[in-house]
Amino acid sequence: MIQKLLIANRGEIASRIIRTCREQGIQTVAVYSQADLEMPFVKMADESYLIGEPPVAKSYLQMDTIIDVAKKVCADAVHPGYGLLSENATFAQKVLDAGLIWVGPKPSVIAQMGDKVTARQVMIEANVPVVPGSGEIVTWEEAVHIANQIGYPVLLKASAGGGGVGMVLCHSDKQLEQHFATTQKRAGMYFGSSAVFLEKFLERSRHIEVQVLADQHGNALHLFERECSVQRRNQKIIEESLSPSISQEAREKLYQTALQAVHAVGYYGAGTVEFLVDQQENCYFIEMNTRLQVEHPVTESITGLDLVSWQLAIAEEKALPWKQTDLQPQGHAIEYRLYAEDPVTFFPSPGKIEVFSLPEGAGIRFDAGVEAGNTITPFYDPMIAKCIISGSSREEVLTRSRETFSQMKIEGIKCNLPLLVELLDHPDFVSGKYDTTILANRKGK
Amino acid sequence: MNKVEASMAGTVWKVLVSEGDVVDSGQDVIILESMKMEIPLSAEIDGKVSKIMVNEGDFVAEGDVLLELVGM
C-alpha cells in the first residue's frame, strides 16, 4: 500500500494528484523550484521541499536530488505527472533502484516508446499501421526517390527536432530540392544533428487518441477516445470525448489497434495511444504516451473513474476489476486549456495574475495550477489551468461552456480565453466536423 | 549600429552566429526559449556582428540587448 507519495512535478498536475491522495488518506510530498514557492501545489502538499533554481535542468530534472528527498522523508512511491521526468526511463529505473514504487510502466517500455524510430518498428511488427515514412536520408536524390514512393505531399523533418521546428511541407520534387539542403543545415544548427527524414503528410487529418488502462496481470482496457485536433504549434488546446466526427466502425478499429499496441509492448499503467485519422478514416499510430495525459479529465468525466487513483492501484499491483463491456461512456465532455499567451500571436505572456476568478457549478471542473497573486515565470509551460465542461450531450456542453467563459475573469496576463470563446462560435467546431487545420484556417490568421 | 533585443523574458537557447560574422537582414541570429517556446530573433539589417552580449543559458529580461550589428 502506498502511504506517502512524492510528486516529481509542479503546477496543476501536482495539485491534481494531491487531491486524489487526500481523498485516499495518502500523505503527499511536493518538490519545488525557487520560482514556484508561492504556487498552490507547494501549500497543498503535506510536506514541501525546495530542490533548486528556477530552470528545470537545475530543479525539476534533478533526478538524484528528487530521489534523495523521497528517501529522506520515507516516501514509498513517486508519481511523475506529465512532461518533465515522466517519460524518462533512467529516472524510472533510479526510483525503482532506490526501493520505491514507480507510478508508471516498466522503464524498458518507457525507453522503447520514447524512441520514435524504435516505437515505429515495434508497431510495424505488431501489425499496427504507422504513417508511411523513411529512415534517415542523406542526399536529396535519395529524398526524391523515397518521396515518389510514399507520394506527395511529404513532410521533411529533422530527426532530432520537435514541436514543428525544422519541419517543411513539400508538394513536389522541385520543392523538395529547394528545401532539402537548407533543412539539413537548419537541423544541424538548431539540434546539433543534420539528420533528416520524410513522412507522408496526411491532409486534413484528425488527431485522435485512445486512453488505456492496463494492470500488471495482463488485463488491458480502453477508456474510449479523445479528439485532440484543435492545436496550435502542434500543441493541443481543446480535447473532447467522444470524438464528434468519426464513425462507430473507425472508433472500434481505434480501440482494437490501441489494445494491440498495449499488448505488443507489455504495457501497464495509464497510457495513451495517439493516432492520425485521415479523411478515409484510415488510422495511423503516431506515438504512445507512457504516462498520465494532460487531458485525462475528459475521460474521467465520461467514465466516472479517477485515473490517478487507478494509476496508484496498478502501481500497487492490484488487478482491474472490470470487463470491457462493463465500461460505457456517459454523456460528453470537453477540456479547454488556458494558456498564458497572446490569443493572436500565441506568444507566451509571463507576468503577475491580478485577477483569477472562475465560476463554479454542475458540469464545471477547473484543474488550476495558479491563483490570484501568483507570478507566471518564463521558466515553464504556459498552461495555467484546464477547464473541463461535461453534460448529457455535446450541445449541452457547448452551451455550458459559453456560459462558463462569460463568467470567467483573468487579468494581469494575456490569456487565450478570447480564442476559446471565438472557437465556440466557429461553425466547424460547433458542428464537430473539424480537423487539425481548424486554427490555421481561422479568419485573420 | 543596430541592436537585437530580447522580445520577452527568457533563456538564451542558441546563439547562431559569432562576432565578426556577416549576416543578412531577416537571418536568425539568436533563439530565445520562454515557457517552452523557441523564439527566433533575426537581424534587422545586413551587417556584421560586432558584439555578442550573452551566452547560451543566460537568463534575459524583455528589452535586454543581446547582440550588436554594424551595417555594411
Side-chain angles (χ1 to χ4, degrees):
Chain A
M1 282 290 288
I2 296 170
Q3 281 165 346
K4 197 178 203 182
L5 180 74
L6 181 138
I7 299 146
N9 214 298
R10 60 177 298 283
E12 70 87 15
I13 195 62
S15 300
R16 158 75 191 88
I17 295 164
I18 293 170
R19 277 198 296 276
T20 288
C21 289
R22 280 184 176 174
E23 282 170 19
Q24 302 195 348
I26 296 170
Q27 294 282 302
T28 51
V29 183
V31 290
Y32 64 97
S33 79
Q34 284 164 356
D36 280 342
L37 179 64
E38 299 296 327
M39 291 290 160
F41 77 95
V42 177
K43 293 175 233 170
M44 278 174 74
D46 296 309
E47 300 169 50
S48 297
Y49 296 89
L50 177 68
I51 50 163
E53 291 173 40
V56 288
K58 292 180 175 168
S59 48
Y60 296 106
L61 298 182
Q62 285 288 328
M63 305 188 219
D64 294 332
T65 309
I66 294 170
I67 290 170
D68 284 347
V69 171
K71 286 199 284 199
K72 196 182 81 189
V73 304
C74 299
D76 35 38
V78 174
H79 193 306
Y82 54 69
L84 298 174
L85 293 170
S86 63
E87 289 175 291
N88 187 311
T90 306
F91 182 61
Q93 191 58 54
K94 278 176 184 270
V95 168
L96 294 172
D97 291 345
L100 302 163
I101 295 173
W102 166 250
V103 183
K106 272 194 292 242
S108 60
V109 173
I110 298 175
Q112 215 178 14
M113 292 298 101
D115 182 290
K116 301 297 163 236
V117 179
T118 312
R120 215 179 131 84
Q121 204 49 48
V122 170
M123 292 308 153
I124 292 169
E125 281 162 23
N127 285 321
V128 170
V130 300
V131 181
S134 76
E136 192 187 323
I137 296 175
V138 180
T139 65
W140 92 262
E141 288 89 348
E142 213 183 321
V144 166
H145 179 70
I146 293 170
N148 280 287
Q149 278 180 342
I150 315 176
Y152 287 101
V154 295
L155 278 174
L156 179 60
K157 289 179 161 181
S159 296
V165 181
M167 194 160 92
V168 191
L169 178 61
C170 302
H171 286 91
S172 63
D173 288 356
K174 189 161 173 266
Q175 284 187 344
L176 186 55
E177 185 183 356
Q178 252 172 19
H179 293 300
F180 192 78
T182 46
T183 303
Q184 275 186 323
K185 197 176 147 199
R186 258 173 172 256
M189 225 157 65
Y190 283 24
F191 307 111
S193 157
S194 59
V196 295
F197 68 102
L198 287 174
E199 206 173 80
K200 187 170 177 64
F201 178 69
L202 303 171
E203 284 175 282
R204 303 196 71 93
S205 60
R206 282 159 289 169
H207 185 135
I208 301 178
E209 60 190 24
V210 178
Q211 174 71 51
V212 295
L213 210 50
D215 64 23
Q216 301 195 41
H217 310 281
N219 305 306
L221 299 166
H222 70 78
L223 301 181
F224 314 101
E225 83 279 14
R226 290 184 292 255
E227 166 68 66
C228 306
S229 296
V230 184
Q231 305 186 354
R232 57 108 181 79
R233 297 197 322 257
N234 294 312
Q235 277 186 315
K236 299 162 190 165
I237 298 183
I238 296 178
E239 301 94 351
E240 60 182 310
S241 188
L242 304 178
S243 166
S245 68
I246 56 168
S247 66
Q248 191 57 32
E249 194 188 345
R251 181 170 280 139
E252 293 295 336
K253 197 167 80 185
L254 281 175
Y255 300 160
Q256 289 323 310
T257 312
L259 290 174
Q260 232 170 295
V262 166
H263 288 298
V265 296
Y267 193 84
Y268 60 75
T272 298
V273 189
E274 296 195 336
F275 297 93
L276 279 180
V277 178
D278 70 11
Q279 288 165 292
Q280 289 75 42
E281 296 203 322
N282 294 307
C283 309
Y284 302 97
F285 169 89
I286 335 175
E287 62 180 40
M288 177 158 192
N289 296 306
T290 54
R291 53 168 168 81
L292 189 66
Q293 202 88 334
V294 175
E295 57 273 26
H296 75 277
V298 168
T299 300
E300 294 185 324
S301 294
I302 63 147
T303 59
L305 301 175
D306 178 331
L307 288 190
V308 172
S309 162
W310 282 103
Q311 283 191 297
L312 299 177
I314 291 166
E316 289 173 333
E317 298 182 29
K318 289 189 181 130
L320 295 174
W322 319 284
K323 295 191 298 288
Q324 188 67 57
T325 48
D326 294 340
L327 301 169
Q328 294 299 330
Q330 299 296 325
H332 195 85
I334 305 183
E335 173 184 278
Y336 306 87
R337 299 190 190 189
L338 290 166
Y339 287 105
E341 68 183 17
D342 187 300
V344 177
T345 64
F346 299 144
F347 272 112
S349 172
K352 186 173 177 188
I353 303 179
E354 304 288 353
V355 178
F356 195 67
S357 165
L358 310 175
E360 286 175 21
I364 303 173
R365 166 175 169 183
F366 279 98
D367 281 15
V370 297
E371 57 195 16
N374 283 161
T375 296
I376 305 297
T377 63
F379 302 104
Y380 315 111
D381 187 279
M383 196 183 75
I384 51 174
K386 308 182 300 205
C387 169
I388 305 101
I389 306 290
S390 54
S392 59
S393 66
R394 190 168 189 270
E395 291 65 39
E396 187 182 308
V397 171
L398 292 181
T399 305
R400 184 167 286 157
S401 301
R402 289 189 193 97
E403 281 166 19
T404 306
F405 289 164
S406 72
Q407 293 165 41
M408 277 169 68
K409 251 200 181 134
I410 299 173
E411 288 169 16
I413 50 161
K414 283 185 193 162
C415 165
N416 67 335
L417 187 56
L419 171 67
L420 299 175
V421 170
E422 180 192 314
L423 271 165
L424 277 170
D425 284 323
H426 191 299
D428 294 347
F429 186 70
V430 173
S431 70
K433 305 283 178 237
Y434 59 90
D435 57 58
T436 48
T437 61
I438 184 167
L439 276 184
N441 292 343
R442 86 195 157 108
K443 9 169 239 268
K445 283 297 293 172
Chain B
M1 179 109 99
N2 188 277
K3 292 169 180 165
V4 174
E5 293 176 0
S7 51
M8 65 180 57
T11 309
V12 178
W13 184 50
K14 296 268 162 160
V15 178
L16 302 172
V17 292
S18 307
E19 286 178 6
D21 282 3
V22 174
V23 297
D24 300 329
S25 169
Q27 182 181 334
D28 292 348
V29 289
I30 282 181
I31 305 175
L32 286 183
E33 205 251 299
S34 185
M35 296 170 112
K36 279 176 74 186
M37 180 175 174
E38 286 124 32
I39 301 150
L41 302 176
S42 53
E44 281 174 10
I45 57 163
D46 293 344
K48 193 180 204 171
V49 179
S50 54
K51 196 171 182 197
I52 298 175
M53 281 81 160
V54 290
N55 293 307
E56 289 178 3
D58 285 358
F59 184 76
V60 295
E62 184 177 343
D64 281 3
V65 178
L66 312 181
L67 180 147
E68 284 177 2
L69 295 167
V70 183
M72 306 276 288

